Structures are given as C-alpha cells and as structure tokens.
C-alpha cells in the first residue's frame, strides 16, 4: 500500500531498478538485489533475513547499496559508496540503476530537492557511469540532471536549437 511522491505504487521503483539491471544483462544476484535494494531501509526486513532467503551475494549487494545514515554529508556517503564498490562492483550498478529511476521520477519532488539531487547526479553518478562505459545511462543522467539543475538554461538552449534547426 505504500506510494511514492509521484503517486505510483512503491513497488514500481524496485521493479524499474531491476528492469534497468536486466537490460544491462546483469546476473541473477544483481537483479534480485535491485528488487530488494531499499528493503532494509524501508521495511522491518533485516539484512540477515535477506541473506538467509537469497544468499550472501544478494545480501552483500543490498548492504552495499543501502544509504548511509540520514543527515550525513553527501561526501561521506559517496566515500562509503566507493568503499562498498571495492567489495563488489555490482553495488555501483544497482546504485546507478536506482539513481536513474529516481531521476526519471524527480518531477514529483519540490524544486529545491530536484536541484540538489540533480547536481549530485551530475557531480557523482553521471561521471561514474562514464568511467564504467555505461554511456546510455550517463547520457540520460546528464540530460535529466541538466533539466532539473538548470531549468531556465535548458529552456533557453532548447529554444536556440529550435531556431537553428528552423534556419537549416
């Protein structure tokens, strides 16, 4: 019965995250972890329960993806993400898929939160996708990040591109 700020049922987010991972042809543990990535944070299910039901691989990824404590500066959480990635590279892929779907639904958030999340995406997640060679994800993160971090500049750029196209 949970819903996201966008109004869609909460289950849509983990399904979309897992779908992105499946499109990347990730292994079964990674896709299952995509489905379960918010479970420890958002429910009363423990990491140990995930481990006992789905195995060490899935549990390790879910634990690595789980966000740091609330109120901790973003830089600290970014360092924790990099450390977790060193334990299992699939952690960053789940985190990228999670961020991509969150960016696709960012319109439901207040403008200030949109800008903050978009800037973090442009600073951390899009470059990370580029380094990993995930150019389709990088480009979509950059486009969405620009849309929400600089909405006026995006409108001006789109208008100018329309003008140039009309001159051709």
């Amino acid at each position: 019965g949970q819903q996201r700020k966008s109004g869609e049922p909460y289950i849509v987010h983990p399904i979309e995250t897992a779908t992105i991972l499946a499109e990347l042809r990730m292994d079964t543990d990674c896709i299952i972890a995509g489905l379960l990535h918010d479970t420890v944070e958002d429910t009363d299910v423990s990491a140990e329960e995930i481990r006992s039901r789905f195995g060490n691989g899935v549990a390790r990824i879910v634990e690595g993806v789980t966000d740091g404590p609330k109120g901790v500066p973003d830089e600290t959480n970014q360092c924790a993400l990099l450390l977790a990635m060193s334990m299992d590279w699939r952690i960053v892929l789940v985190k990228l898929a999670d961020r991509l779907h969150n960016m696709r639904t960012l319109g439901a958030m207040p403008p200030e939160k949109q800008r903050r999340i978009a800037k973090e995406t442009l600073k951390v997640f899009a470059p990370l996708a580029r380094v990993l060679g995930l150019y389709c994800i990088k480009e979509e993160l950059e486009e969405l990040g620009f849309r929400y971090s600089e909405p006026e500049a995006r409108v001006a750029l789109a208008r100018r591109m329309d003008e140039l196209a009309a001159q051709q």
Side-chain angles (χ1 to χ4, degrees), residues 24-79:
L24 293 172
R25 299 184 184 274
M26 295 308 305
D27 65 19
T28 304
D29 280 357
C30 190
I31 295 169
I32 292 170
L35 280 169
L36 299 173
H37 75 278
D38 283 338
T39 305
V40 173
E41 268 189 336
D42 297 343
T43 72
D44 57 1
V45 174
S46 69
E48 277 310 310
E49 188 174 347
I50 290 175
R51 181 170 279 101
S52 69
R53 295 182 78 178
F54 299 98
N56 287 330
V58 171
R60 184 174 47 251
I61 297 168
V62 170
E63 288 172 325
V65 171
T66 299
D67 289 337
K70 301 298 180 219
V72 175
D74 288 336
E75 295 79 17
T76 304
N77 284 331
Q78 292 165 12
C79 290

Side-chain angles (χ1 to χ4, degrees), residues 48-114:
E48 277 310 310
E49 188 174 347
I50 290 175
R51 181 170 279 101
S52 69
R53 295 182 78 178
F54 299 98
N56 287 330
V58 171
R60 184 174 47 251
I61 297 168
V62 170
E63 288 172 325
V65 171
T66 299
D67 289 337
K70 301 298 180 219
V72 175
D74 288 336
E75 295 79 17
T76 304
N77 284 331
Q78 292 165 12
C79 290
L81 175 61
L82 292 173
L83 180 61
M85 285 173 19
S86 70
M87 294 185 293
D88 190 328
W89 60 274
R90 296 172 297 182
I91 293 167
V92 73
L93 295 175
V94 174
K95 195 70 172 168
L96 283 169
D98 173 47
R99 178 55 62 114
L100 180 57
H101 184 255
N102 283 334
M103 289 298 293
R104 288 174 177 171
T105 60
L106 196 57
M109 296 292 184
E112 189 50 45
K113 192 166 187 177
Q114 290 175 356

